[in-house]
Amino acid sequence: KGVKHNTTTKTLARQVDISPTIAKLMNLKQTDGINHIGKFSRDLYLKWQDGKTLDEVAQGDTPEYAMILMYDGLSATELYYHLFDNPDFEKYPNFLWLKENGITFQYGAISNFPANTYPGHHSVCTGAYSGHHGIIDNHYFDRNLLSARSPIEELTNAGDLIDGDMVETIYDAVQRSFDNWHPTKNPLGNFTASLNDPCGKGADYAFLETYLPYYAATFKKIPSTAPDYPPIETGINLVD
């Protein structure tokens, strides 16, 4: 609902365009902030917005809800092949449903630099490049704290590393725009959730932004050598 169906476009999209586009589709309130050329603007959907709205996706009524599904490390060309050129495409019914009920960007989305997990996921959910939202890599040296940070190993509470005064997540923008959910005062209000994703600052439920003592003991240090991952096609099949 709210987007074109079974459409493919050659428009060049970027990761930082995703949240601004969702914000506009969902009729979030605009705000003052910093735009893509570093100037003050009054017509942004996020406080620091490097991305633009991809207006060609919209069609029809305002959606009732929005979901961002991230498949870390999957190239657009690989997914495009399996959706359009692979003769066995029918074995990916859920990806095909998304294709037939939405719009496909043929060339995928240009990533943040560096194209690593924590900076990239936060660029998607803030609409800002890593040099602006503050998480510049999976491992980096924080000049303000004069210490090394490794959000991919620390795993939880990456939202503490974002410049909260200057940068909003899409979850922050929803809370700013709507009558927000509360477990007792407003149980039918708008609810946001970040499930097992590095970016969750501002969400009503964010698994990796909440320290759970009984679960922390199960966190394991990331191995120094990469494990043997299944072939990409097998991974796509598992996710589907």
Side-chain angles (χ1 to χ4, degrees):
K1 182 178 179 181
V3 298
K4 294 177 182 176
H5 287 191
N6 202 23
T7 302
T8 301
T9 177
K10 294 185 178 181
T11 297
L12 298 180
R14 302 167 298 168
Q15 286 182 341
V16 292
D17 299 332
I18 294 173
S19 280
T21 300
I22 290 176
K24 186 172 182 178
L25 286 171
M26 301 296 292
N27 284 332
L28 268 60
K29 293 179 180 178
Q30 292 183 308
T31 184
D32 297 346
I34 305 298
N35 65 16
H36 65 289
I37 58 173
K39 292 188 176 182
F40 176 80
S41 177
R42 293 187 177 277
D43 58 355
L44 303 176
Y45 287 97
L46 296 154
K47 284 185 178 180
W48 195 306
Q49 186 177 309
D50 291 318
K52 64 180 180 181
T53 59
L54 301 168
D55 295 332
E56 62 265 51
V57 309
Q59 180 174 284
D61 299 331
T62 301
E64 295 179 6
Y65 56 87
M67 297 177 65
I68 301 176
L69 306 176
M70 294 201 215
Y71 189 177
D72 198 317
L74 175 63
S75 72
T77 51
E78 183 73 23
L79 183 57
Y80 191 86
Y81 163 73
H82 289 292
L83 289 179
F84 290 91
D85 299 325
N86 187 346
D88 297 325
F89 67 91
E90 291 183 354
K91 65 183 179 181
Y92 308 116
N94 297 310
F95 277 120
L96 285 171
W97 185 93
L98 291 173
K99 167 184 170 287
E100 292 168 358
N101 291 274
I103 182 168
T104 300
F105 286 82
Q106 182 172 342
Y107 303 119
I110 299 170
S111 70
N112 170 80
F113 180 83
N116 291 332
T117 298
Y118 270 71
H121 283 242
H122 282 82
S123 287
V124 170
C125 79
T126 62
Y129 287 119
S130 58
H132 296 151
H133 63 59
I135 301 178
I136 58 174
D137 207 341
N138 289 334
H139 313 275
Y140 63 94
F141 185 80
D142 189 317
R143 294 179 180 178
N144 293 324
L145 298 177
L146 297 180
S147 65
R149 301 306 302 260
S150 180
I152 200 167
E153 291 189 355
E154 296 168 23
L155 192 60
T156 58
N157 298 316
D160 293 344
L161 305 177
I162 295 177
D163 186 345
D165 293 331
M166 296 294 295
V167 178
E168 281 185 315
T169 66
I170 187 67
Y171 312 113
D172 292 324
V174 170
Q175 293 204 19
R176 172 174 53 77
S177 300
F178 298 131
D179 187 18
N180 203 47
W181 172 86
H182 186 277
T184 56
K185 298 178 181 178
N186 190 21
L188 299 179
N190 290 278
F191 185 86
T192 58
S194 172
L195 306 178
N196 298 327
D197 189 78
C199 182
K201 174 184 170 291
D204 294 303
Y205 176 84
F207 181 74
L208 294 182
E209 289 293 329
T210 304
Y211 181 70
L212 304 174
Y214 60 87
Y215 188 81
T218 68
F219 291 165
K220 296 181 179 180
K221 184 176 177 61
I222 295 173
S224 57
T225 58
D228 293 327
Y229 292 110
I232 291 178
E233 184 173 351
T234 302
I236 294 175
N237 195 29
L238 290 171
V239 171
D240 186 83

